[in-house]
Amino acid sequence: MFTKGDTLNIKGNTDADWAGSIEDRHSTTGYLTFVGGNLVTWRSKKQEVIARSSVEVEYRGMTKGVYELLWIKNLLQELKISPTFPMKLYCDSKVTCDISHNLVQHDRTKHVEIDIHFIKEQLEAKIIEVSHFDLMINLLTFSLKQYQVKPFTEC
């Protein structure tokens, strides 16, 4: 079930579904985290606020993914285990990845300004690296999105 690797590299994948709920138009974000190539945590959650853009949803999801990576890093360090740095975070939105690497703040990104500053701090400290998903992960994500669960309704 678990594979033994030479290093304890920490990686995360984030994804979001903008305004995916047909009832209230709230978005869903999710992340997967891997340590040494093994899946250790995963989560998806409907966002509490309605997002104005897909980039906002993706960036908020990316922030949640970074929080999880930092939590895993701290847990491993408390266990006296030295993970490999920088941790890698993959996002399926090219625009969101580009914004995280852009040092210029634009008016169009003001609504996610706190998240942007948080991620930029992690990038500058070389704690994380942000990259766009590769093709295989995108194909997997696409195939899973077609099997969405319908909301429960009372009989």
Side-chain angles (χ1 to χ4, degrees):
M1 180 179 270
F2 289 103
T3 60
K4 182 180 178 185
D6 295 336
T7 62
L8 281 179
N9 54 353
I10 303 172
K11 296 180 182 179
N13 296 344
T14 63
D15 195 9
D17 181 21
W18 180 42
S21 173
I22 57 173
E23 294 173 355
D24 58 8
R25 288 300 176 199
H26 283 255
S27 304
T28 304
T29 56
Y31 59 79
L32 306 168
T33 56
F34 299 85
V35 176
N38 296 299
L39 179 65
V40 292
T41 63
W42 61 92
R43 183 172 188 189
S44 67
K45 185 177 181 188
K46 188 186 276 191
Q47 291 187 354
E48 296 172 7
V49 210
I50 297 175
R52 294 186 286 180
S53 69
S54 61
V55 172
E56 178 181 352
V57 174
E58 293 282 356
Y59 221 92
R60 292 191 194 282
M62 185 186 287
T63 303
K64 298 287 186 192
V66 172
Y67 288 150
E68 188 71 9
L69 292 176
L70 292 172
W71 181 82
I72 290 171
K73 175 192 81 115
N74 290 336
L75 176 65
L76 290 174
Q77 288 176 335
E78 285 184 25
L79 295 171
K80 308 290 188 232
I81 299 171
S82 299
T84 307
F85 291 104
M87 299 178 290
K88 297 187 191 274
L89 181 69
Y90 298 97
C91 179
D92 72 335
S93 169
K94 177 109 173 77
V95 174
T96 307
C97 292
D98 291 344
I99 290 172
S100 67
H101 291 291
N102 187 357
L103 299 176
V104 178
Q105 188 72 27
H106 298 285
D107 287 340
R108 292 181 183 167
T109 59
K110 189 174 181 179
H111 54 289
V112 287
E113 185 175 356
I114 294 171
D115 293 333
I116 289 173
H117 285 293
F118 171 71
I119 290 176
K120 284 184 182 180
E121 282 180 0
Q122 305 306 313
L123 284 168
E124 289 171 3
K126 305 232 184 277
I127 295 172
I128 65 166
E129 288 179 355
V130 174
S131 301
H132 189 254
F133 268 147
D134 70 6
L135 181 61
M136 289 307 293
I137 295 173
N138 273 333
L139 290 174
L140 176 64
T141 304
F142 176 76
S143 66
L144 291 176
K145 281 187 178 178
Q146 60 183 317
Y147 297 107
Q148 294 182 354
V149 178
K150 296 186 181 187
F152 177 76
T153 55
E154 291 184 26
C155 299

